[in-house]
Amino acid sequence: MAGISNDWLEPLKPEFSKPYYKKLYYKVKEEYTTREIFPRSSEIFSAFELTPLSKVKVVILGQDPYHNVGQAHGLSFSVKPGVETPPSLVNIYKELHDDLGCYIPNNGYLKKWADQGVLLLNTVLTVRAHQANSHHGIGWEEFTDAAIRAVNAVNRPIVFILWGSPARRKKVMLNNPNHLILEAPHPSPLSAYRGFFGSKPFSKTNEFLESHGVEPIDWQIEDLT
């Protein structure tokens, strides 16, 4: 497992010495040795690497990585260039189009968001190939809860976007009045029509950031040629 080397290290360092993390580390190491696991081990902490804590403006919580070959690369909801856009992200793009008028791009690579301060964090950071949620309960949730608490403790305006029940359950940890919490059903085809469509998370996020003097997010993902 690649380490964390930027300003996330200070708040997360205590986790590395806790018993649960030791078990998690050896479990994940064994899984990578004996099975096909996503994302690549060097990309497990990509969300933290690409979006330092000092730059976080928005948190979008996912559940666990995509479990098909070539999809996951450490950012929630994102896939690598050249990979077909997954159904949940297709629906995110539809809502983005309806909300802000962004055109729907030909790719699902969300690094542009991460580079602007959108922490694309899954609550579980690894998964077995073709077995959704297979690393649930091995310790990742405790680790990512520590990351969520670290963002909650930051006293500048930050937006938490919670889609679906697992993400919405994290709301109890978010008690900093400086922040905005936006909740909606998950964008998956199974639930998007229950209130995800029409929830306008992108315009609400930018309105909140701008009202506090913070540069808004350019949500448009450009086409890749």
Side-chain angles (χ1 to χ4, degrees):
M1 264 175 4
I4 292 173
S5 57
N6 60 12
D7 63 0
W8 278 105
L9 187 58
E10 185 180 348
L12 294 180
K13 196 173 183 180
E15 303 304 305
F16 300 139
S17 59
K18 292 180 179 178
Y20 88 86
Y21 192 87
K22 190 173 184 180
K23 284 185 194 170
L24 170 65
Y25 177 85
Y26 286 112
K27 174 66 175 175
V28 170
K29 194 173 179 182
E30 178 195 6
E31 289 279 290
Y32 273 95
T33 304
T34 58
R35 297 174 178 270
E36 188 174 19
I37 304 298
F38 302 130
R40 291 187 306 194
S41 60
S42 61
E43 296 174 325
I44 292 173
F45 295 122
S46 288
F48 300 103
E49 292 166 20
L50 291 172
T51 312
L53 180 57
S54 60
K55 304 290 186 189
V56 173
K57 298 178 180 179
V58 182
V59 179
I60 297 180
L61 280 181
Q63 186 167 311
D64 68 330
Y66 294 123
H67 54 85
N68 289 330
V69 176
Q71 291 181 309
H73 65 104
L75 302 181
S76 64
F77 295 104
S78 179
V79 291
K80 292 180 178 179
V83 176
E84 184 179 357
T85 304
S88 290
L89 184 52
V90 168
N91 285 340
I92 290 170
Y93 283 160
K94 285 179 182 173
E95 177 61 19
L96 182 54
H97 170 74
D98 292 346
D99 187 7
L100 290 177
C102 294
Y103 69 82
I104 295 176
N106 63 4
N107 68 93
Y109 190 49
L110 304 182
K111 181 176 179 289
K112 177 182 176 180
W113 293 0
D115 289 339
Q116 294 179 81
V118 181
L119 180 67
L120 295 165
L121 182 65
N122 282 313
T123 55
V124 174
L125 300 186
T126 54
V127 69
R128 288 180 183 175
H130 316 300
Q131 294 182 48
N133 221 20
S134 46
H135 281 177
H136 166 72
I138 67 170
W140 280 128
E141 291 93 343
E142 195 164 342
F143 181 77
T144 54
D145 278 359
I148 294 165
R149 283 194 296 271
V151 180
N152 178 65
V154 173
N155 285 320
R156 64 171 191 276
I158 294 172
V159 181
F160 288 84
I161 298 177
L162 310 180
W163 289 330
S165 298
R168 293 169 91 167
R169 283 196 287 271
K170 305 297 182 184
K171 185 179 179 180
V172 295
M173 303 165 57
L174 307 176
N175 57 9
N176 189 327
N178 289 292
H179 305 326
L180 174 67
I181 301 168
L182 299 176
E183 297 180 77
H186 196 276
S188 88
L190 298 173
S191 55
Y193 289 94
R194 296 181 197 150
F196 172 77
F197 288 132
S199 60
K200 299 187 180 298
F202 307 102
S203 61
K204 288 176 181 175
T205 292
N206 280 356
E207 285 164 11
F208 177 78
L209 294 175
E210 288 182 289
S211 72
H212 289 85
V214 179
E215 183 80 16
I217 305 297
D218 176 4
W219 293 105
Q220 179 69 68
I221 300 294
E222 285 85 12
D223 280 345
L224 295 175
T225 53

